[in-house]
Amino acid sequence: MDQFLDEAINEAKRGLEEGGIPIGSVIVHDGEIIGKGHNRRIQKGSAVLHGEMDALENAGRQPASIYQNSVLYTTLSPCSMCSGAILLYGIPKVIIGENETFLGEEDLLRSRGVEVIVANNEACKKMMKDFIAENPGLWNEDIGEDGS
C-alpha cells in the first residue's frame, strides 16, 4: 500500500479515536508531507473542518507553486467544499482511498484537469461503512443531509 495513503488512514483513525468522523487526508509535495489532518467537525464544533480542509489548514500558507505541484491523499471521495478548495489551490492530483460509501465531486475535479485516482482501499471502506452504520445521524450531518 502507498505510504501516504497509509498516513491518511492513520489520520482518519485519530479522528475516530477523538470521537469524530474517520476521514483523513495528507498533502504531499516533492515526496514530503506538508500538511495532514482529519475530520474535526465534531471535536472543534466546526462547520468546515473536513479531513482535506484540516490538512490544508495544517499545511499553512504556501506559495501557489507549492500547491500546484502537490498531491492530496484522502480516505474518502472529496465533497463539494473540499473539491472547491482543491480547485482553488490548483492541486493537480488527488488519490482517494474509496468512493463506495460516498461519491463526491470526482467528475468536477476531472472536468477541471485534476488527475483523480481511486485506490478502492478495503481498510477505508470498512472504516466508513462501520462508522456510518453506528452513527448515521453524524454522517448525514457531515455530508449536509438531514437524514430523513
Side-chain angles (χ1 to χ4, degrees):
M1 196 179 340
D2 186 299
Q3 67 176 345
F4 299 123
L5 184 55
D6 286 346
E7 188 55 36
I9 291 169
N10 288 337
E11 283 293 317
K13 289 176 182 175
R14 283 185 194 101
L16 188 59
E17 289 166 4
E18 294 170 359
I21 298 168
I23 303 168
S25 184
V26 297
I27 301 168
V28 177
H29 180 263
D30 285 342
E32 299 290 328
I33 295 173
I34 61 168
K36 58 185 176 177
H38 52 273
N39 186 306
R40 297 190 307 153
R41 289 186 66 251
I42 294 166
Q43 301 91 310
K44 296 285 188 179
S46 170
V48 297
L49 276 181
H50 282 189
E52 301 90 337
M53 302 300 280
D54 193 39
L56 280 163
E57 179 69 16
N58 291 327
R61 185 176 169 202
Q62 300 287 337
S65 61
I66 297 294
Y67 287 123
Q68 292 167 359
N69 289 289
S70 293
V71 179
L72 184 139
Y73 290 76
T74 182
T75 58
L76 187 65
S77 186
C79 72
S80 300
M81 174 179 66
C82 297
S83 294
I86 289 164
L87 294 173
L88 178 67
Y89 291 104
I91 296 171
K93 184 174 183 178
V94 177
I95 298 179
I96 298 167
E98 68 101 352
N99 65 0
E100 287 182 14
T101 57
F102 178 78
L103 178 59
E105 298 294 337
E106 295 173 27
D107 287 343
L108 171 63
L109 292 171
R110 287 185 186 101
S111 78
R112 298 281 296 274
V114 176
E115 181 182 1
V116 176
I117 297 170
V118 181
N120 288 312
N121 181 278
E122 292 302 322
C124 293
K125 290 178 195 178
K126 179 172 178 9
M127 191 166 25
M128 284 309 302
K129 285 178 183 176
D130 291 350
F131 179 82
I132 292 168
E134 294 169 14
N135 303 280
L138 290 177
W139 172 242
N140 286 326
E141 175 189 324
D142 198 61
I143 59 172
E145 295 183 2
D146 66 9
S148 57

